[in-house]
Amino acid sequence: MEAILISAGAVALAEIGDKTQLLALTLTARFRRPVPIILGILLATLVNHLLAALIGSHGAAFIDRIGGAQVLRWIVGLSFLAMAAWTLIPDTLDDDIAGKDKAPRFGVFLTTLISFFLVEMGDKTQIATVALAARVHDVLGVAAGTTVGMMLANVPVVLLAGFAAQRLPLRTIRIVAAVLFAVLGIAALIGYP
């Protein structure tokens, strides 16, 4: 349960103002069909974050098996500190990613699913998922938690059609998320469980 709560909190905060949240806002404004957009976000996030959690957990287990517990601790700790710094940088969304000028060839659900899956590749929440899974070795807990965090951040944007994204103090939220990632990084570096 701890893995789910920590993962959900870290990702929900990190996701505020992120490019995938901007994508949710853009898709909502363009298609005005919240249910298929939310379902597309959910499925894309589940698949993406499950794969990321598997990579994090199995990668950590491999490094641990070859005697690299100290190396793993440093990799995870420094990854969280890098996430803290990255979280402070606001994201933008390219027009071509948003698909502003293109008709939805695959319908709203598949357009959202494909867009979210691709935009999430290498995104800070995906990298956070890898690092969290490497730290706690709970693939399902981390994937579930990070997915809940993504949904907590994106569903209100979809349902409120941009009202929430414009009203939230993004700078404050980014700072809180950065502090959370920094605390996790320092805890990993000093060997705190």
Side-chain angles (χ1 to χ4, degrees):
M1 188 61 146
E2 182 181 347
I4 293 173
L5 294 175
I6 290 172
S7 299
V11 167
L13 287 172
E15 182 64 13
I16 302 296
D18 189 67
K19 65 185 171 204
T20 47
Q21 192 177 50
L22 296 172
L23 178 60
L25 179 61
T26 302
L27 291 168
T28 301
R30 182 164 182 233
F31 299 126
R32 300 181 196 281
R33 303 231 1 247
V35 173
I37 292 170
I38 290 169
L39 292 174
I41 293 169
L42 176 63
L43 186 56
T45 302
L46 275 171
V47 172
N48 194 297
H49 287 203
L50 184 58
L51 292 172
L54 282 167
I55 289 168
S57 182
H58 290 299
F62 174 74
I63 291 171
D64 199 32
R65 272 197 310 274
I66 60 173
Q70 293 298 327
V71 171
L72 177 62
R73 185 173 57 122
W74 279 93
I75 290 171
V76 170
L78 293 174
S79 295
F80 278 123
L81 292 175
M83 288 303 305
W86 192 3
T87 300
L88 294 172
I89 301 168
D91 279 332
T92 58
L93 184 65
D94 297 330
D95 285 343
D96 59 327
I97 293 174
K100 261 181 160 172
D101 301 320
K102 299 175 187 168
R105 186 186 330 180
F106 304 111
V108 176
F109 172 76
L110 280 177
T111 298
T112 303
L113 175 74
I114 293 166
S115 297
F116 257 80
F117 186 84
L118 293 175
V119 169
E120 187 63 13
M121 298 299 288
D123 191 54
K124 63 185 157 209
T125 51
Q126 185 190 45
I127 293 169
T129 302
V130 171
L132 286 162
R135 175 125 170 88
V136 300
H137 300 286
D138 182 357
V139 171
L140 294 179
V142 168
T146 58
T147 299
V148 167
M150 285 285 286
M151 299 311 288
L152 286 172
N154 286 299
V155 169
V157 169
V158 172
L159 294 178
L160 299 175
F163 177 79
Q166 294 172 356
R167 303 281 188 240
L168 292 173
L170 298 180
R171 178 174 152 69
T172 302
I173 291 169
R174 277 195 294 275
I175 290 169
V176 170
V179 168
L180 177 60
F181 280 123
V183 167
L184 291 171
I186 292 166
L189 289 174
I190 63 173
Y192 185 77

